[in-house]
Amino acid sequence: MIVLGIESSCDETGVALVETAGTRVPALRAHALHSQVDMHQAYGGVVPELASRDHIRRVLPLARQVLGQAGCALSEVDVVAYTRGPGLAGALLVGAGVACALGAALDRPVLGVHHLEGHLLSPFLSRDPPEFPFIALLVSGGHTQLMQVEGVGRYALLGETIDDAAGEAFDKSAKLLGLGYPGGPALSRLAQQGDPAAFKLPRPLLHSGDLDFSFAGLKTAVLTQVRKLGDELDRRKADLAASTEAAIVEVLVKKSLAALDASGLRRIVVAGGVGANRLLRAQLDAACARRGVRVHYPELDLCTDNGAMIALAAAMRLQAGVQAASADYAFDVRPRWPLASLTEG
Ligand code: KG4
Ligand code: ZN
């Protein structure tokens, strides 16, 4: 079975083809991506209307590119998958509209996928795929969650951020340091030249005894330091970046270990854009190696938003029999959609 997947929830248009055979993990045939980062950079963040318009421009050329790369005819596609939510309503409607139009024209069923389920399952396309059950640390621009994953479609929420997401903390701090948008990767690069112990920044909820996160206070602490430094900021910027990254990463690692301890599981999957962060990977790998816990990541190019994870999640849902693709082309997107609500019963 060949699944065409379309991602358009935020600022990347992604299209991919995966192929399933029996019960084997679906194989990625081809994927293509267009990032809108350059376009939104001038505004310091994503402009939803511009995002939607750009998805419209990109999605069909990307689909043609992917079909060409895979040597696959459009008529060979069995199911068309799209990101149904969460995300920007207008942006989601582009992918959903195109997927449903393709499905109707080809007389093939469609399947709307949860964006975070895509992230969470994306390590199955890596060279070192996980096995169920596992703990998942989902760290993106909009979400920070710890989930217990028993199988496809069986997700229990263990803890989440009560305010800003980890990616948001990176992005907002980076903006305060004048590093542009999205600031996560830039802040992380600058941090390599700085001293992570130079500034004492808060580790919110580190000892709260639960698995929730809070990052809003950190951004305020960074702002306070920026104001205090004044003209000195340029000279100390790398130190402040390193201290910020260290604070975010320490909380993510400690809470992940607490989730592993509480569940008794020996396997963790890290997914979402912040999962590309080098310090997070190094510290989590070291802590997990000491405890005999296996850590799985998506390949680096599939850490941030992409179409491959959407095609994969659809294919795995179909394989596991948790959802059937549908010929109801009345697409409805869900800009707000809790992942745990996918679990039935
Ligand atoms: O998963 P993603 O591509 O989009 C959402 O679904 O939100 O995540 C984007 C987030 C942004 O906040 C970006 O700054 C962050 O991931 N990010 C990073 C790194 N690469 C991406 N944060 C820290 N270090 C990185 N290397
Ligand atoms: Zn994402």
Side-chain angles (χ1 to χ4, degrees):
M1 181 180 61
I2 294 182
V3 181
L4 176 77
I6 299 174
E7 154 64 29
S8 70
S9 67
C10 188
D11 57 355
E12 339 256 11
T13 322
V15 182
L17 280 173
V18 302
E19 185 163 7
T20 59
T23 54
R24 287 227 314 270
V25 175
L28 182 59
R29 291 271 303 263
H31 83 108
L33 191 72
H34 180 264
S35 171
Q36 304 177 352
V37 161
D38 291 346
M39 181 179 76
H40 295 297
Q41 213 145 35
Y43 305 92
V46 177
V47 184
E49 178 62 26
L50 294 182
S52 310
R53 291 184 202 180
D54 202 57
H55 287 306
I56 291 172
R57 272 193 291 271
R58 307 290 175 179
V59 65
L60 287 177
L62 286 173
R64 273 190 207 102
Q65 188 183 329
V66 159
L67 288 162
Q69 269 169 27
C72 179
L74 192 54
S75 57
E76 290 176 72
V77 171
D78 297 298
V79 174
V80 186
Y82 62 93
T83 306
R84 187 175 173 212
L88 302 169
L92 289 166
L93 281 168
V94 176
V98 169
C100 289
L102 274 178
L106 296 169
D107 197 19
R108 297 287 193 276
V110 294
L111 199 153
V113 170
H114 195 292
H115 179 83
L116 293 181
E117 184 175 40
H119 277 304
L120 188 149
L121 297 176
S122 59
F124 281 95
L125 288 175
S126 74
R127 270 161 290 186
D128 179 28
E131 278 168 30
F132 297 113
F134 53 76
I135 293 295
L137 172 67
L138 284 176
V139 272
S140 70
H143 294 85
T144 301
Q145 300 186 333
L146 278 161
M147 316 275 313
Q148 182 160 337
V149 179
E150 298 293 338
V152 178
R154 290 164 63 205
Y155 314 122
L157 182 67
L158 302 177
E160 65 183 331
T161 182
I162 58 170
D163 43 54
D164 290 353
E168 220 173 336
F170 269 108
D171 293 341
K172 287 179 175 172
S173 303
K175 201 168 181 176
L176 292 171
L177 296 178
L179 298 176
Y181 161 85
L187 187 144
S188 180
R189 258 192 314 275
L190 182 63
Q192 285 178 280
Q193 299 152 32
D195 172 7
F199 293 91
K200 254 181 96 74
L201 296 175
R203 268 79 168 148
L205 300 191
L206 188 60
H207 302 294
S208 61
D210 58 24
L211 297 172
D212 286 337
F213 303 86
S214 164
F215 291 109
L218 178 64
K219 166 195 65 192
T220 312
V222 173
L223 176 62
T224 306
Q225 291 298 342
V226 167
R227 289 203 174 127
K228 249 198 219 162
L229 285 168
D231 294 343
E232 284 285 283
L233 177 62
D234 267 352
R235 210 172 53 76
R236 304 291 311 280
K237 212 183 253 190
D239 285 343
L240 190 49
S243 303
T244 305
E245 184 180 50
I248 298 171
V249 167
E250 184 182 343
V251 178
L252 293 177
V253 171
K254 290 252 164 79
K255 295 269 172 165
S256 299
L257 296 177
L260 285 159
D261 287 345
S263 66
L265 293 176
R266 318 301 300 154
R267 201 181 282 280
I268 183 165
V269 153
V270 183
V274 180
N277 184 269
R278 276 207 249 176
L279 187 70
L280 174 63
R281 288 186 173 216
Q283 294 204 352
L284 197 62
D285 285 349
C288 287
R290 283 196 294 275
R291 295 163 175 241
V293 170
R294 292 286 311 275
V295 194
H296 300 265
Y297 303 95
E299 298 296 331
L300 265 183
D301 62 335
L302 298 185
C303 258
T304 46
D305 293 349
N306 63 83
M309 68 186 197
I310 300 305
L312 171 80
M316 288 183 75
R317 289 185 81 77
L318 292 168
Q319 266 184 330
V322 295
Q323 188 178 351
S326 153
D328 176 3
Y329 303 119
F331 53 94
D332 61 331
V333 297
R334 300 195 58 180
R336 289 174 179 277
W337 189 13
L339 180 58
S341 70
L342 292 187
T343 303
E344 286 172 22

